[in-house]
Amino acid sequence: MVLVCGELSANAVQHGGRRGHLFEIRLTVDGPRCLVEVSDASRTPPRPTKAGEDDEGGRGLLLVDSLSEETGHHYRYPLGKTVWARLIPGSPSEESVCTS
């Protein structure tokens, strides 16, 4: 969960920043699931990139997708978007990514 929060937050800072607007993180627990939502001022939807072997970045959304049960985004009124990931902490998919 910490990795997902960190990756989505880093993307909000790097790609969603707008002078005078901060980003926001919201965590919601619903039974065994946790919803991570990160909102920023950009309306540009997130899109995974193809990172080269030597690239230092470009893998964050792939990690988030691998660790999450479901991901997506929606636009906010009057400004920006929210990128979200739904996780089941301790699920087999989370463990396999962390241990491989």
mmCIF file of all heavy atoms in Angstrom, residues 18 21 39-43 74-82:
data_model
loop_
_atom_site.group_PDB
_atom_site.id
_atom_site.type_symbol
_atom_site.label_atom_id
_atom_site.label_comp_id
_atom_site.label_asym_id
_atom_site.label_seq_id
_atom_site.Cartn_x
_atom_site.Cartn_y
_atom_site.Cartn_z
ATOM 1 N N ARG A 18 0.443 22.290 -10.548
ATOM 2 C CA ARG A 18 0.037 23.559 -11.134
ATOM 3 C C ARG A 18 0.254 24.609 -10.058
ATOM 4 O O ARG A 18 -0.135 24.411 -8.905
ATOM 5 C CB ARG A 18 -1.436 23.484 -11.523
ATOM 6 C CG ARG A 18 -1.897 24.600 -12.380
ATOM 7 C CD ARG A 18 -3.301 24.281 -12.849
ATOM 8 N NE ARG A 18 -3.674 25.195 -13.896
ATOM 9 C CZ ARG A 18 -4.854 25.248 -14.433
ATOM 10 N NH1 ARG A 18 -5.800 24.418 -14.030
ATOM 11 N NH2 ARG A 18 -5.130 26.102 -15.370
ATOM 12 N N HIS A 21 -1.617 25.086 -6.568
ATOM 13 C CA HIS A 21 -2.495 23.950 -6.291
ATOM 14 C C HIS A 21 -1.666 22.789 -5.769
ATOM 15 O O HIS A 21 -0.690 22.389 -6.388
ATOM 16 C CB HIS A 21 -3.249 23.521 -7.553
ATOM 17 C CG HIS A 21 -4.161 24.568 -8.073
ATOM 18 N ND1 HIS A 21 -5.432 24.748 -7.579
ATOM 19 C CD2 HIS A 21 -3.989 25.506 -9.035
ATOM 20 C CE1 HIS A 21 -6.007 25.749 -8.227
ATOM 21 N NE2 HIS A 21 -5.150 26.221 -9.110
ATOM 22 N N SER A 39 -5.405 13.045 -5.874
ATOM 23 C CA SER A 39 -5.971 14.081 -6.739
ATOM 24 C C SER A 39 -4.937 15.163 -6.993
ATOM 25 O O SER A 39 -4.168 15.518 -6.102
ATOM 26 C CB SER A 39 -7.205 14.698 -6.075
ATOM 27 O OG SER A 39 -8.165 13.705 -5.807
ATOM 28 N N ASP A 40 -4.929 15.686 -8.212
ATOM 29 C CA ASP A 40 -4.025 16.782 -8.555
ATOM 30 C C ASP A 40 -4.739 17.756 -9.482
ATOM 31 O O ASP A 40 -5.909 17.571 -9.798
ATOM 32 C CB ASP A 40 -2.717 16.257 -9.165
ATOM 33 C CG ASP A 40 -2.916 15.497 -10.472
ATOM 34 O OD1 ASP A 40 -3.689 15.954 -11.338
ATOM 35 O OD2 ASP A 40 -2.285 14.439 -10.641
ATOM 36 N N ALA A 41 -4.032 18.777 -9.921
ATOM 37 C CA ALA A 41 -4.651 19.861 -10.690
ATOM 38 C C ALA A 41 -4.664 19.630 -12.198
ATOM 39 O O ALA A 41 -5.236 20.425 -12.938
ATOM 40 C CB ALA A 41 -3.923 21.175 -10.393
ATOM 41 N N SER A 42 -4.066 18.553 -12.676
ATOM 42 C CA SER A 42 -4.003 18.293 -14.112
ATOM 43 C C SER A 42 -5.215 17.498 -14.576
ATOM 44 O O SER A 42 -5.706 16.630 -13.871
ATOM 45 C CB SER A 42 -2.734 17.506 -14.442
ATOM 46 O OG SER A 42 -2.753 17.073 -15.784
ATOM 47 N N ARG A 43 -5.660 17.765 -15.785
ATOM 48 C CA ARG A 43 -6.745 16.967 -16.373
ATOM 49 C C ARG A 43 -6.197 15.899 -17.308
ATOM 50 O O ARG A 43 -6.954 15.136 -17.906
ATOM 51 C CB ARG A 43 -7.715 17.874 -17.124
ATOM 52 C CG ARG A 43 -8.294 18.920 -16.215
ATOM 53 C CD ARG A 43 -9.712 19.140 -16.086
ATOM 54 N NE ARG A 43 -10.717 18.509 -16.849
ATOM 55 C CZ ARG A 43 -11.806 17.994 -16.262
ATOM 56 N NH1 ARG A 43 -11.936 18.003 -14.971
ATOM 57 N NH2 ARG A 43 -12.755 17.480 -16.998
ATOM 58 N N HIS A 74 -10.753 9.588 -12.607
ATOM 59 C CA HIS A 74 -11.933 10.366 -12.980
ATOM 60 C C HIS A 74 -11.585 11.842 -12.839
ATOM 61 O O HIS A 74 -10.672 12.222 -12.104
ATOM 62 C CB HIS A 74 -13.175 9.989 -12.147
ATOM 63 C CG HIS A 74 -13.000 10.162 -10.668
ATOM 64 N ND1 HIS A 74 -13.178 11.358 -10.025
ATOM 65 C CD2 HIS A 74 -12.659 9.278 -9.705
ATOM 66 C CE1 HIS A 74 -12.963 11.206 -8.727
ATOM 67 N NE2 HIS A 74 -12.640 9.953 -8.510
ATOM 68 N N TYR A 75 -12.300 12.657 -13.582
ATOM 69 C CA TYR A 75 -12.062 14.093 -13.557
ATOM 70 C C TYR A 75 -12.764 14.720 -12.369
ATOM 71 O O TYR A 75 -13.774 14.213 -11.894
ATOM 72 C CB TYR A 75 -12.507 14.736 -14.869
ATOM 73 C CG TYR A 75 -11.703 14.220 -16.028
ATOM 74 C CD1 TYR A 75 -12.254 13.361 -16.958
ATOM 75 C CD2 TYR A 75 -10.364 14.557 -16.160
ATOM 76 C CE1 TYR A 75 -11.500 12.853 -18.008
ATOM 77 C CE2 TYR A 75 -9.600 14.058 -17.197
ATOM 78 C CZ TYR A 75 -10.168 13.210 -18.116
ATOM 79 O OH TYR A 75 -9.425 12.714 -19.129
ATOM 80 N N ARG A 76 -12.192 15.808 -11.880
ATOM 81 C CA ARG A 76 -12.767 16.537 -10.743
ATOM 82 C C ARG A 76 -13.270 17.886 -11.228
ATOM 83 O O ARG A 76 -12.700 18.490 -12.123
ATOM 84 C CB ARG A 76 -11.688 16.789 -9.684
ATOM 85 C CG ARG A 76 -11.241 15.562 -8.988
ATOM 86 C CD ARG A 76 -10.105 15.832 -8.040
ATOM 87 N NE ARG A 76 -10.267 17.094 -7.337
ATOM 88 C CZ ARG A 76 -9.677 17.405 -6.214
ATOM 89 N NH1 ARG A 76 -8.874 16.566 -5.636
ATOM 90 N NH2 ARG A 76 -9.853 18.564 -5.646
ATOM 91 N N TYR A 77 -14.312 18.354 -10.606
ATOM 92 C CA TYR A 77 -14.829 19.685 -10.914
ATOM 93 C C TYR A 77 -14.371 20.618 -9.802
ATOM 94 O O TYR A 77 -14.455 20.251 -8.641
ATOM 95 C CB TYR A 77 -16.372 19.663 -10.973
ATOM 96 C CG TYR A 77 -16.949 21.027 -11.209
ATOM 97 C CD1 TYR A 77 -17.019 21.540 -12.489
ATOM 98 C CD2 TYR A 77 -17.381 21.804 -10.146
ATOM 99 C CE1 TYR A 77 -17.520 22.814 -12.695
ATOM 100 C CE2 TYR A 77 -17.879 23.067 -10.353
ATOM 101 C CZ TYR A 77 -17.944 23.570 -11.632
ATOM 102 O OH TYR A 77 -18.427 24.822 -11.842
ATOM 103 N N PRO A 78 -13.885 21.759 -10.088
ATOM 104 C CA PRO A 78 -13.732 22.402 -11.390
ATOM 105 C C PRO A 78 -12.353 22.194 -12.003
ATOM 106 O O PRO A 78 -12.073 22.676 -13.083
ATOM 107 C CB PRO A 78 -13.929 23.879 -11.053
ATOM 108 C CG PRO A 78 -13.311 24.032 -9.701
ATOM 109 C CD PRO A 78 -13.618 22.717 -8.991
ATOM 110 N N LEU A 79 -11.480 21.445 -11.311
ATOM 111 C CA LEU A 79 -10.094 21.381 -11.756
ATOM 112 C C LEU A 79 -9.497 20.024 -11.440
ATOM 113 O O LEU A 79 -9.664 19.513 -10.334
ATOM 114 C CB LEU A 79 -9.289 22.473 -11.022
ATOM 115 C CG LEU A 79 -7.800 22.565 -11.280
ATOM 116 C CD1 LEU A 79 -7.548 23.076 -12.695
ATOM 117 C CD2 LEU A 79 -7.157 23.505 -10.270
ATOM 118 N N GLY A 80 -8.796 19.452 -12.389
ATOM 119 C CA GLY A 80 -7.975 18.292 -12.106
ATOM 120 C C GLY A 80 -8.633 16.941 -12.272
ATOM 121 O O GLY A 80 -9.668 16.790 -12.906
ATOM 122 N N LYS A 81 -7.968 15.966 -11.664
ATOM 123 C CA LYS A 81 -8.405 14.578 -11.745
ATOM 124 C C LYS A 81 -8.028 13.853 -10.462
ATOM 125 O O LYS A 81 -7.232 14.336 -9.667
ATOM 126 C CB LYS A 81 -7.746 13.870 -12.924
ATOM 127 C CG LYS A 81 -6.253 13.667 -12.718
ATOM 128 C CD LYS A 81 -5.632 12.906 -13.860
ATOM 129 C CE LYS A 81 -4.137 12.830 -13.744
ATOM 130 N NZ LYS A 81 -3.429 14.078 -13.554
ATOM 131 N N THR A 82 -8.604 12.666 -10.293
ATOM 132 C CA THR A 82 -8.255 11.764 -9.205
ATOM 133 C C THR A 82 -7.860 10.435 -9.827
ATOM 134 O O THR A 82 -8.604 9.882 -10.635
ATOM 135 C CB THR A 82 -9.438 11.560 -8.241
ATOM 136 O OG1 THR A 82 -9.773 12.820 -7.657
ATOM 137 C CG2 THR A 82 -9.086 10.566 -7.148
#
